[in-house]
Amino acid sequence: MTELALILAACLGGAILAWILFMAVFFIVVIWVKRIWAWANRNRVLTDEEEAALVQRYLDEGDAYIRSLKSQAQETAK
């Protein structure tokens, strides 16, 4: 009976270890695929629409930053 419990525990431990190893390899592969995808797209030429959207986003972020600076200046002036 004890041998059966030990064999069962060893099999269960091996299955858990295999699952942990599989998940680690899976996440490593996912991370590497994301890195390779980013590397492959780093020099991609933007279309006119994408470039316009990017410029507009930068302008909007700049406007929001200037508004926040103005409001901070008004708060400190009070």
Side-chain angles (χ1 to χ4, degrees), residues 5-32:
L6 288 175
I7 291 171
L8 200 59
C11 289
L12 188 60
I16 291 172
L17 186 61
W19 176 254
I20 291 170
L21 196 60
F22 169 76
M23 293 306 290
V25 169
F26 175 76
F27 284 118
I28 289 170
V29 167
V30 167
I31 289 169
W32 276 103

Side-chain angles (χ1 to χ4, degrees), residues 44-57:
R44 188 174 65 88
V45 176
L46 298 177
T47 63
D48 290 338
E49 294 83 16
E50 290 172 329
E51 189 174 355
L54 184 64
V55 168
Q56 187 61 46
R57 191 179 85 212

Side-chain angles (χ1 to χ4, degrees), residues 36-77:
I36 290 170
W37 186 264
W39 178 80
N41 286 326
R42 75 188 189 289
N43 289 329
R44 188 174 65 88
V45 176
L46 298 177
T47 63
D48 290 338
E49 294 83 16
E50 290 172 329
E51 189 174 355
L54 184 64
V55 168
Q56 187 61 46
R57 191 179 85 212
Y58 285 149
L59 290 174
D60 292 342
E61 288 176 2
D63 289 343
Y65 181 68
I66 290 171
R67 281 194 302 273
S68 70
L69 286 179
K70 283 182 181 178
S71 66
Q72 287 176 2
Q74 289 173 350
E75 288 295 321
T76 55

